[in-house]
């Protein structure tokens, strides 16, 4: 509500295998690259060329990989709970 009231369009999505998303039992389906491609595909599907992207924990890892694979889609990037191993 706060972001919408400030003029932003806030979008949250289930990562593959989480929430109501389709589940796979193949570990190869859960690589950061593939999960980042899901985020890029969602932006494309919604007609969003550039977005302010925020992720926490696994979402931060996916957001970081999105920024690396599709930097033109990421206007700004906020990473929380990423862990020292990814910095």
């Amino acid at each position: 509500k706060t972001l919408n009231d400030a003029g932003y369009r806030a979008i949250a999505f289930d990562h593959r295998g989480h929430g109501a998303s389709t589940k796979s039992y193949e570990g190869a389906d859960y690589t950061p690259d593939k999960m980042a491609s899901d985020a890029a595909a969602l932006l494309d599907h919604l007609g969003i060329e550039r977005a302010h992207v925020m992720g926490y924990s696994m979402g931060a890892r996916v957001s970081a990989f999105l920024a690396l694979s599709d930097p033109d889609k990421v206007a700004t990037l906020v990473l929380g709970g990423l862990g020292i191993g990814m910095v």
Side-chain angles (χ1 to χ4, degrees):
K1 182 178 179 331
T2 301
L3 291 172
N4 287 330
D5 289 348
Y8 294 96
R9 179 180 179 191
I11 299 164
F13 72 102
D14 290 338
H15 291 283
R16 57 172 68 197
H18 292 75
S21 293
T22 303
K23 313 277 188 279
S24 170
Y25 296 96
E26 297 295 326
D29 290 337
Y30 295 97
T31 65
D33 289 325
K34 286 189 178 181
M35 294 176 78
S37 73
D38 293 342
L42 178 61
L43 292 173
D44 289 342
H45 173 75
L46 296 173
I48 299 170
E49 292 182 22
R50 283 177 65 81
H52 302 288
V53 178
M54 185 274 175
Y56 185 83
S57 190
M58 182 183 70
R61 185 178 179 113
V62 172
S63 297
F65 275 78
L66 173 65
L68 291 170
S69 65
D70 292 276
D72 55 313
K73 293 184 183 304
V74 180
T76 58
L77 182 63
V78 177
L79 305 173
L82 185 58
I84 192 70
M86 285 292 296
V87 177

